[in-house]
Amino acid sequence: MSTRIHIVLDPDDKARYRAQAEREGKSLGAWLRDAAEDRLEAARTRRSLRSKEALETFFDACDARELDQEPDWSEHRSVIERSRLRGLDVT
């Protein structure tokens, strides 16, 4: 059995959410339900990392999900610096 809830949103937020839902081929309601499920899953993951074994399992899953080698620190640093410079309003 389904039930309805009423959510008060700022009109701009609603427009942003609806636009993203449409890009994903979902209704706004489905998109919001998925977002709520994502939040619940993230909370479950945070609670479940309380042992060394759970943490190792988490990192193994992350490693298996990643296909490429992580860039070295100098490359990360370069990306950070370029990002900072783009954000500056130099006159």
Side-chain angles (χ1 to χ4, degrees), residues 40-74:
L40 286 173
E41 181 59 31
R44 278 192 292 273
T45 300
R46 283 192 303 273
R47 284 193 304 269
S48 67
L49 298 179
R50 298 195 186 273
S51 72
K52 180 181 176 187
E53 293 78 21
L55 190 59
E56 288 173 350
T57 300
F58 170 76
F59 282 120
D60 288 344
C62 290
D63 289 343
R65 190 175 57 233
E66 298 301 323
L67 303 176
D68 297 326
Q69 187 73 16
E70 185 173 338
D72 64 11
W73 173 244
S74 62

Side-chain angles (χ1 to χ4, degrees), residues 71-86:
D72 64 11
W73 173 244
S74 62
E75 188 174 339
H76 279 297
R77 181 76 179 176
S78 175
V79 169
I80 292 168
E81 290 303 318
R82 285 194 310 269
S83 175
R84 283 183 177 160
L85 290 174
R86 276 197 312 268

